[in-house]
Amino acid sequence: MAFISSQRLIDLARIAAIVACVGLLYSPSVGTIGLVVTYVAFLASGQAVSRFKAVLVRPLVYWGVAFLGVVLLGMVYASVPWHDRWTDFYKWRTILWFCVALAIFDEECWKERLLVIFLIGTAVAVVGSFVSAAGWVTFRRGPHELLRNNGTQGMAFACAALVCAWVMLEKKTLGLVSWIWPVFAALYIVNVIFITDARSGYAVLGVGLFMLLCWKASWSQRVLIVVGFIVAGGLVFAVSPRMQGKVRAAVVEWTTESKLERETSFGLRRVFYTNSVEILRDHWLLGLGTGGFAQAYGDHVSKKYEASDWRAVHTTDPHNQYLAVAIQQGIGGVVVFLVWIAAVARERESRGDYHRLAVAILAGWCVTSLFSSHFRTFAEGHLLATFLGVLLAVEPRSIQAKPVAAMSKEA
């Protein structure tokens, strides 16, 4: 009878995590299956406790766990039904996924496998997007949202472009021919700028590239990089009608919200921000408690606007990750959340080259989260958690990896 060793289960968990990373971009069902298999294989491996102990001593983990503790504590004093409290807490499972990825991707070969398969998975979509945009093939979804929606697609393609840029800057190959990296990078960047109309994609791409280029540069070089980005940004904006439309629409909708007769993407966001800040003024210390935002916001706008006014629409999220945390977990929650982000950015145990890419991606998410809650949304939140966990993972100090057969004999 063949026995499955614990190491094989760890490898199964890694494979399932890779499937989840790519699958969640295409299908929530495939992504969920990958996540579940990863958790089950990891827990059944016999290494879960030792691996968690090894990563728990790292600041980027214990501050993440501390933030989860703050969210859990917020459930105690929230005044909404327990179903709402648990639902909101469950959305922060992305931090748990980050810890699991950090615990299992300690070998460099598995880091490279995930990056390569992620690029292959997104390459299929980017080629399909170009083919669809050219009118050669028609898919169920348009070329700007083949990956679930345009926001997910923009951020995924931007991450793929950052990986390609990082490979070239670090002079790596990841087992592929060197000429493929500039080609892939060009495909992703051109698609984000001219086809995928997602402002979050612009942010992740621009901020991430800036961080990668400035990482090892001197101060004089950084000045040149800033000037170069301003010039390049102006040129890209000038030649991309799609980008012009998205950026100008955001500015107009935000600045003229009070005059709008119907809801728009950024007009609605400004309404969310304005009302959320008004709610925060009365609950800044401890917050409303975990899960308390939706009910409080609904009560607030119902009193403030006529039912026929589009501004009276209810929401479960203020579309700003930092504001969402402040309203529900108070000032203390925001501090712990920001300290966790800082701990990830200041990580020192992982290799410098992988840390460089992780910080570039994290910086992009920090900017987009001013207009969305991308740290805990299903696709975007898990994508960030996967990259951070995989790239920042280091070899555990001590792992007890015994075959199941041996453990059975001892028992």
Side-chain angles (χ1 to χ4, degrees):
M1 179 178 180
F3 292 96
I4 302 176
S5 71
S6 58
Q7 189 57 43
R8 289 181 181 175
L9 285 172
I10 290 294
D11 288 343
L12 175 60
R14 292 163 172 161
I15 293 171
I18 294 173
V19 171
C21 179
V22 178
L24 60 84
L25 301 178
Y26 287 89
S27 167
S29 299
V30 174
T32 300
I33 292 172
L35 295 172
V36 172
V37 173
T38 301
Y39 284 125
V40 172
F42 179 57
L43 293 174
S45 69
Q47 298 187 26
V49 174
S50 59
R51 285 179 177 268
F52 264 134
K53 284 183 178 179
V55 300
L56 192 57
V57 298
R58 301 174 64 183
L60 72 168
V61 175
Y62 61 68
W63 279 112
V65 173
F67 176 69
L68 281 181
V70 172
V71 177
L72 188 62
L73 179 63
M75 296 173 62
V76 176
Y77 58 85
S79 59
V80 295
W82 276 97
H83 174 269
D84 295 338
R85 306 183 205 189
W86 281 113
T87 298
D88 197 86
F89 177 77
Y90 180 66
K91 292 178 180 179
W92 283 109
R93 67 193 184 279
T94 53
I95 293 182
L96 176 61
W97 179 250
F98 159 70
C99 295
V100 171
L102 199 68
I104 64 177
F105 279 90
D106 51 297
E107 298 178 13
E108 185 176 2
C109 62
W110 283 100
K111 296 176 189 287
E112 294 183 353
R113 287 167 186 166
L114 181 137
L115 293 176
V116 170
I117 294 176
F118 173 77
L119 289 174
I120 293 173
T122 51
V124 171
V126 78
V127 171
S129 178
F130 279 113
V131 170
S132 177
W136 298 340
V137 177
T138 301
F139 297 104
R140 183 170 60 88
R141 294 176 177 172
H144 62 293
E145 55 180 3
L146 292 182
L147 296 180
R148 298 194 66 195
N149 57 60
N150 64 334
T152 301
Q153 179 165 302
M155 296 178 77
F157 287 175
C159 286
L162 293 180
V163 172
C164 293
W166 171 78
V167 168
M168 290 186 288
L169 289 170
E170 296 292 340
K171 296 180 173 57
K172 295 178 179 289
T173 62
L174 299 187
L176 301 177
V177 293
S178 58
W179 60 262
I180 202 169
W181 302 112
V183 172
F184 272 21
L187 288 175
Y188 291 123
I189 292 173
V190 170
N191 191 282
V192 169
I193 294 172
F194 293 97
I195 297 178
T196 302
D197 52 352
R199 287 170 286 241
S200 53
Y202 305 153
V204 173
L205 180 61
V207 174
L209 284 175
F210 181 78
M211 293 296 294
L212 285 178
L213 293 173
C214 288
W215 191 263
K216 296 180 180 179
S218 64
W219 285 107
S220 59
Q221 290 174 328
R222 289 174 182 175
V223 172
L224 293 176
I225 292 172
V226 170
V227 174
F229 261 77
I230 293 174
V231 173
L235 291 174
V236 168
F237 184 80
V239 300
S240 175
R242 188 174 292 273
M243 179 182 284
Q244 291 177 24
K246 295 294 290 186
V247 174
R248 286 173 177 169
V251 174
V252 171
E253 291 167 10
W254 183 273
T255 56
T256 63
E257 170 269 322
S258 60
K259 302 177 182 179
L260 297 176
E261 297 181 356
R262 59 182 179 83
E263 67 177 66
T264 59
S265 177
F266 265 68
L268 197 57
R269 275 179 167 80
R270 176 157 184 173
V271 172
F272 290 160
Y273 289 4
T274 301
N275 292 312
S276 295
V277 170
E278 291 173 357
I279 295 171
L280 180 62
R281 288 171 183 166
D282 298 326
H283 303 278
W284 63 272
L285 184 58
L286 295 177
L288 294 163
T290 303
F293 174 79
Q295 179 176 299
Y297 188 89
D299 293 341
H300 183 81
V301 296
S302 296
K303 297 175 182 177
K304 184 176 180 179
Y305 304 105
E306 296 291 336
S308 58
D309 194 331
W310 63 266
R311 297 169 183 81
V313 65
H314 292 197
T315 183
T316 59
D317 188 274
H319 288 68
N320 180 305
Q321 189 65 83
Y322 315 101
L323 189 56
V325 173
I327 291 175
Q328 296 197 137
Q329 282 79 44
I331 186 66
V334 174
V335 171
V336 177
F337 180 63
L338 293 177
V339 170
W340 172 62
I341 293 176
V344 174
R346 292 175 59 83
E347 154 65 24
R348 291 295 181 266
E349 291 188 38
S350 59
R351 279 179 37 177
D353 51 353
Y354 287 106
H355 181 227
R356 179 185 189 182
L357 178 58
V359 172
I361 294 173
L362 174 63
W365 250 256
C366 288
V367 172
T368 66
S369 291
L370 291 169
F371 305 98
S372 297
S373 293
H374 280 148
F375 276 84
R376 68 176 199 168
T377 49
F378 177 73
E380 296 83 0
H382 279 94
L383 183 61
L384 173 65
T386 302
F387 274 118
L388 294 182
V390 171
L391 295 172
L392 300 179
V394 297
E395 185 176 356
R397 295 183 176 87
S398 62
I399 298 176
Q400 297 177 354
K402 299 180 179 180
V404 173
M407 290 189 288
S408 299
K409 290 179 180 179
E410 291 177 3

